[in-house]
Amino acid sequence: MCLAVPGKVLEIEERDGTRMATVDFGGVVKEVCLEYLPDLKVGEYTIVHVGFALQRLDEESARQTLALFESLGLLVEEFGDPWEAAAGAAPEPPVPVRTAGQPGEPVAPPGPEPQPGPLSVPEPVLAAGQQAVGEERR
């Protein structure tokens, strides 16, 4: 889900001719483009969607909306958990791959990678009465 999330402008700078801001979304800080709101100032609140500040917002409305989004879990859904990100959360463990057996049976851990060996060419399957190329008929 992509939300338009309110945030507080912490600082503003120009980068390569574009007005950019550092914006705090209830503890998650992101870079935001201010081209749609060229007169936005540090300390003001804005609604941001996909990295663009779209509308100025009063502080009370911003705080209420952030509190509501947080209670619904939408900030974590939108931005991820800032504590996990800050801690450099370990990647999720790999999902075991079923190597044999029927559904419901325990899954065996994957074995070692198969080692390359000599290539074997399967014997041709011949229909009744056919002979392989190069063989004599008996």
Side-chain angles (χ1 to χ4, degrees), residues 122-138:
E123 294 293 320
V125 178
L126 302 174
Q130 285 185 322
Q131 68 182 46
V133 176
E135 282 188 7
E136 293 181 26
R137 193 170 274 232
R138 295 183 190 169

Side-chain angles (χ1 to χ4, degrees), residues 78-135:
E78 185 72 11
F79 297 120
D81 185 339
W83 295 109
E84 282 183 23
E92 292 185 25
V95 177
V97 176
R98 179 171 293 282
T99 57
Q102 299 298 318
E105 290 182 347
V107 175
E113 290 288 323
Q115 298 299 316
L119 295 177
S120 62
V121 178
E123 294 293 320
V125 178
L126 302 174
Q130 285 185 322
Q131 68 182 46
V133 176
E135 282 188 7

Side-chain angles (χ1 to χ4, degrees), residues 51-82:
F52 289 88
L54 300 177
Q55 181 178 347
R56 185 175 279 104
L57 187 65
D58 65 276
E59 183 175 355
E60 184 58 28
S61 296
R63 290 185 186 276
Q64 287 176 356
T65 304
L66 282 171
L68 177 62
F69 283 2
E70 187 171 3
S71 71
L72 295 172
L74 296 175
L75 290 179
V76 171
E77 184 178 314
E78 185 72 11
F79 297 120
D81 185 339

